[in-house]
Amino acid sequence: MAPSLRSLLCTAALVATQLVHAAPAELESRAVCGSIPANFKFTENYQLPDPFTSISGSKVTTKSEWACRQNEISQLFQRYELGTKPTKPAKVSGKYKNGTLTITAGQNGKSISWNVSITYPTTGKAPYPALIAYDGLSIPAPAGVAIIVLNNDLLGLQNNASSRGVGLFYDLYGSDATASAMMAWAWGVSRVIDVLETTPAAKINPERIGVTGCSRDGKGAMVAGAFDSRIVLTIPQESGSGGDTCWRLSDAMLDEGQVTQTASEIVNENVWFSEEFANFSTNTNLLPFDHHLLAGLIAPRGLLSFENSAVLWLGSWSAYGCMKTANRIYQALGVPENHGFSEVGNHSHCLFPDVQVPVLDAFVGKFLLDQAGTNTSVFEDDSSFRFDIPNAYVQWATPTLS
């Protein structure tokens, strides 16, 4: 039985770790080190699964082994929560004209096209770093950074639970594709980057790409960052359940009478997750992962989560605990400063408070503008939350990966 949230908050201790430098991320495809067995055996576990123990039970002690573990985690998320993200299709092309980038993708005799808009900064010089913003920008536009607006609904509709299989992505891969709407969006982001890599007229540096979004789009931005390692900075804003929170911790909040969104609610609300995920929605303890491992797919690249402690539905304590746990992965890779978390209340949902601007500027400066000496060691909240590790949910040790 899982411990109560109250008992967890009252008893905790700290674990010290040594840090090493992280290896650079590879491109979109990950190291392939094995596959998930078809008859995968589920084990009920109320704790947040150990990032450093593979499904075979072997311990991860090196960065090369972590690359294989990331591949394993990626497969698990695709099979049991998000659906399969297809690889780059046979034909991808694009063109740029007057602030509009057109992407065309073709596979098996079918073809789709869509546009994204590019707004250039008034400072800096081309080629510019860029933020891909789901459905428009909801954070302040950083100086020196271009903004690429992606209408993610075009790729995968998200009106309600009846939207499954609707959108350009499904026109190409079929309405029965396992990919959830969020995975369809992530696929679209990857195709935008493909075209930026081959279209110098767009004046964008494809090696300095970030992605952001708020609320449901924040969830989507985090998925995009997790499944394309060409993205150097991922900024989910108030992503809540299904983003930077952990399913198990949100369930614990609800068990304590705190009305927050959980898996059992979200699967009936929309098509952000795969149909397979509904099988786990009433018992997330069966999942062989949680969202600290989604963040782990982004590591060691830049990840900055913004949350809103004034909106209980978002699961503010769950986000805090989940990202505290995820930061252990960054510590193991020697780059805890590449992962930031800032949770501030007293503002409406998706309205960015001025007090968080310095944190945003620091991460943009480091990862998109390549500014040296930028301090990104930020993990803050305004609610005095406690999630010291080890605790009832996290009892595994954090190694130093060689």
Side-chain angles (χ1 to χ4, degrees):
M1 176 180 292
S4 70
L5 176 57
R6 187 173 294 107
S7 66
L8 172 61
L9 296 178
C10 293
T11 59
L14 293 174
V15 168
T17 57
Q18 289 184 303
L19 306 178
V20 293
H21 290 290
E26 296 183 1
L27 292 181
E28 186 180 352
S29 59
R30 297 188 180 277
V32 178
C33 310
S35 58
I36 307 301
N39 59 342
F40 182 78
K41 298 295 191 298
F42 297 96
T43 302
E44 192 163 0
N45 178 18
Y46 70 81
Q47 296 179 0
L48 298 180
D50 183 354
F52 308 110
T53 300
S54 71
I55 61 173
S56 69
S58 62
K59 294 296 183 180
V60 173
T61 60
T62 68
K63 291 173 183 175
S64 61
E65 290 171 350
W66 171 246
C68 288
R69 174 65 170 140
Q70 280 185 309
N71 176 70
E72 183 177 88
I73 294 166
S74 172
Q75 291 182 62
L76 289 169
F77 268 102
Q78 290 183 75
R79 184 181 293 188
Y80 298 119
E81 182 177 310
L82 295 167
T84 301
K85 180 188 177 187
T87 57
K88 183 178 180 180
K91 297 181 179 179
V92 177
S93 62
K95 60 181 180 180
Y96 172 81
K97 183 177 182 181
N98 298 331
T100 297
L101 185 71
T102 301
I103 300 94
T104 299
Q107 186 83 21
N108 297 327
K110 297 180 180 179
S111 181
I112 59 172
S113 295
W114 71 96
N115 297 330
V116 297
S117 65
I118 304 178
T119 301
Y120 296 97
T122 57
T123 59
K125 62 180 182 179
Y128 300 100
L131 268 176
I132 299 175
Y134 279 23
D135 201 28
L137 193 66
S138 53
I139 58 176
V145 177
I147 305 301
I148 301 173
V149 174
L150 173 70
N151 183 350
N152 43 304
D153 275 24
L154 284 176
L155 292 159
L157 194 63
Q158 53 164 340
N159 285 343
N160 50 45
S162 68
S163 300
R164 190 169 301 280
V166 179
L168 291 175
F169 172 90
Y170 303 99
D171 292 344
L172 188 61
Y173 290 103
S175 61
D176 59 348
T178 65
S180 60
M182 289 202 296
M183 195 59 97
W185 306 341
W187 176 92
V189 168
S190 293
R191 305 294 74 82
V192 171
I193 298 173
D194 290 341
V195 171
L196 290 173
E197 288 177 332
T198 59
T199 312
K203 299 185 292 184
I204 298 297
N205 181 355
E207 296 182 357
R208 286 288 180 267
I209 299 293
V211 62
T212 188
C214 190
S215 195
R216 60 183 63 188
D217 294 334
K219 307 180 206 302
M222 192 164 175
V223 171
F227 285 90
D228 193 327
S229 53
R230 295 172 297 180
I231 296 170
V232 299
L233 178 60
T234 301
I235 310 176
Q237 179 192 5
E238 300 187 42
S239 59
S241 180
D244 62 6
T245 68
C246 280
W247 298 118
R248 289 165 171 84
L249 301 185
S250 295
D251 284 340
M253 291 182 67
L254 188 62
D255 288 345
E256 290 285 328
Q258 300 182 50
V259 182
T260 191
Q261 189 173 40
T262 61
S264 60
E265 189 281 335
I266 205 168
V267 295
N268 296 310
E269 180 180 346
N270 218 303
V271 294
W272 303 316
F273 302 93
S274 67
E275 290 181 296
E276 177 68 20
F277 182 59
N279 295 323
F280 304 90
S281 63
T282 59
N283 189 0
T284 58
N285 291 339
L286 285 172
L287 288 169
F289 53 79
D290 215 316
H291 276 226
H292 64 302
L293 296 182
L294 186 67
L297 291 180
I298 299 172
R301 294 168 290 126
L303 170 61
L304 174 60
S305 294
F306 290 110
E307 278 296 348
N308 185 344
S309 59
V311 183
L312 183 59
W313 186 249
L314 293 172
S316 52
W317 175 80
S318 177
Y320 179 83
C322 193
M323 292 300 99
K324 267 280 190 180
T325 307
N327 192 257
R328 291 286 163 148
I329 299 171
Y330 281 81
Q331 289 181 29
L333 290 166
V335 286
E337 70 278 4
N338 285 6
H339 176 213
F341 181 85
S342 179
E343 187 163 53
V344 175
N346 298 318
H347 62 91
S348 299
H349 185 42
C350 290
L351 291 182
F352 195 84
D354 291 342
V355 70
Q356 289 179 316
V357 170
V359 179
L360 173 64
D361 287 345
F363 271 80
V364 168
K366 179 175 182 175
F367 291 100
L368 296 185
L369 298 175
D370 201 23
Q371 295 173 349
T374 304
N375 181 13
T376 55
S377 297
V378 178
F379 207 102
E380 61 186 16
D381 81 284
D382 62 356
S383 300
S384 300
F385 287 135
R386 292 293 302 277
F387 200 87
D388 297 335
I389 297 173
N391 59 44
Y393 292 99
V394 181
Q395 296 185 1
W396 36 264
T398 303
T400 298
L401 301 180
S402 60

